[in-house]
Amino acid sequence: MGYGFNIEPKDYKSMIDDIITIAEREGLVSNTFRRKFKVDIKKRGRSSGGIDRTGGTYNPWIGINDKYISNPSCWTDKNAGWVNQWRMYLKDRHPSRGRESQYNKVIKAIDKGKVAWVEYNRISKDPEIGDWFGDPDKHKGAVLALLLCHEIAHAIDYWIKAPGYGNHNKTWQNIYRVLRNNYVNSCSEKHTKNY
């Protein structure tokens, strides 16, 4: 399946449709999920996913920061403010674990011309759902694809309420793994190289 983000990004609605189709095909959700699914475009704040309970409803929901919609290639690169702050902080350090180690790896990849999608530290080294490094010319829509997989996984997680659901626990990780493997990882060259 070619989802289009390796060359030019699709619009976010098409990507959401593709990802929900995968979730249905893989048995994660029924078509009720699609019918009830809501998307809010936010002008500020972090993107998120879960359940919308407004007005007494119980609908799967994601809120996406508009910067990802208007720029689907909103990568972490050398221009990200935190990158230079951490570069200075890590200058004389050689971290072997934790967030320092993760950010050190991200900065090394960026210094080699890559761009990065940075995940939470506890999953950052996972070869399927961890940090993602790409070529800014080939993976123009991958950031939006990664973001949507991440947030839709939250919406599915809260929708099905399987044991261990919530936050970034194992249930969410398993859902995210299915979406990432089928939507992002299968459509691009190996990107988990250690830098």
Side-chain angles (χ1 to χ4, degrees), residues 95-114:
S96 60
R97 60 187 176 155
R99 189 163 45 162
E100 290 182 358
S101 174
Q102 177 189 9
Y103 288 0
N104 192 46
K105 179 180 174 182
V106 169
I107 290 167
K108 283 182 181 178
I110 288 170
D111 287 346
K112 291 184 179 183
K114 297 292 182 183

Side-chain angles (χ1 to χ4, degrees), residues 9-37:
K10 283 184 169 184
D11 66 281
Y12 78 95
K13 291 178 182 177
S14 297
M15 287 182 162
I16 288 170
D17 185 60
D18 289 343
I19 295 165
I20 292 175
T21 298
I22 290 167
E24 291 169 341
R25 186 187 71 216
E26 296 297 318
L28 298 174
V29 295
S30 69
N31 63 359
T32 303
F33 179 89
R34 181 187 299 272
R35 285 195 319 268
K36 293 186 173 254
F37 187 76

Side-chain angles (χ1 to χ4, degrees), residues 50-105:
I51 296 296
D52 176 19
R53 293 181 177 89
T54 56
T57 62
Y58 185 81
N59 295 315
W61 165 89
I62 60 171
I64 303 298
N65 187 304
D66 184 51
K67 73 178 181 180
Y68 295 103
I69 303 298
S70 59
N71 181 9
S73 298
C74 189
W75 288 105
T76 296
D77 61 14
K78 64 183 178 182
N79 299 316
W82 70 265
V83 170
N84 286 327
Q85 291 173 346
W86 273 88
R87 185 188 315 278
M88 294 304 294
Y89 174 76
L90 294 168
K91 186 177 176 187
D92 297 320
R93 297 175 184 260
H94 304 286
S96 60
R97 60 187 176 155
R99 189 163 45 162
E100 290 182 358
S101 174
Q102 177 189 9
Y103 288 0
N104 192 46
K105 179 180 174 182

Side-chain angles (χ1 to χ4, degrees), residues 137-177:
D137 296 323
K138 291 182 183 176
H139 304 112
K140 293 185 179 177
V143 153
L144 181 57
L146 289 156
L147 174 72
L148 291 172
C149 286
H150 183 115
E151 301 308 344
I152 291 171
H154 280 303
I156 293 170
D157 186 27
Y158 280 93
W159 177 252
I160 63 175
K161 289 187 175 178
Y165 83 97
N167 297 320
H168 297 101
N169 292 328
K170 286 293 182 192
T171 302
W172 172 82
Q173 290 178 31
N174 291 336
I175 296 164
Y176 187 36
R177 188 176 310 281

